[in-house]
Amino acid sequence: MVATPATFMVQGTFDLYDDNLYLASDGCAGQGGYKDITTGAAVTITDATGAIVALGRLDSASLTSMINCTFSFSVSDVPADQGFYGVEDR
């Protein structure tokens, strides 16, 4: 019998498309209505009811075009038994 892990890690990327990106020392970030989207911004993992089950942060960002900033993220210790999940930048 194979044991099911109690938790797992979620990894991914978040793309911000805007023609008014800020070039920061750690890559890029949003401005204006997107100024809260920057390295270190919170990433939340929710269950099917919307309850937060794990927290992480946006990691390094890179300018992938003149209007696209791509952030990486990873969130560890996500409970494995929740069924459906949501991922959101807060």
Side-chain angles (χ1 to χ4, degrees):
M1 178 181 228
V2 176
T4 302
T7 64
F8 64 97
M9 178 182 290
V10 173
Q11 295 178 302
T13 58
F14 175 82
D15 287 314
L16 172 61
Y17 292 92
D18 189 7
D19 59 2
N20 191 26
L21 294 173
Y22 171 73
L23 298 179
S25 60
D26 57 354
C28 47
Q31 293 193 106
Y34 298 112
K35 68 182 177 187
D36 58 336
I37 301 177
T38 185
T39 299
V43 173
T44 59
I45 307 293
T46 57
D47 64 13
T49 69
I52 297 173
V53 296
L55 295 171
R57 300 266 175 221
L58 291 178
D59 296 326
S60 61
S62 60
L63 190 65
T64 52
S65 76
M66 292 308 292
I67 62 167
N68 183 16
C69 186
T70 300
F71 296 86
S72 61
F73 68 89
S74 61
V75 181
S76 57
D77 299 323
V78 178
D81 60 351
Q82 301 299 306
F84 292 95
Y85 298 89
V87 179
E88 185 175 337
D89 168 42
R90 293 199 175 218

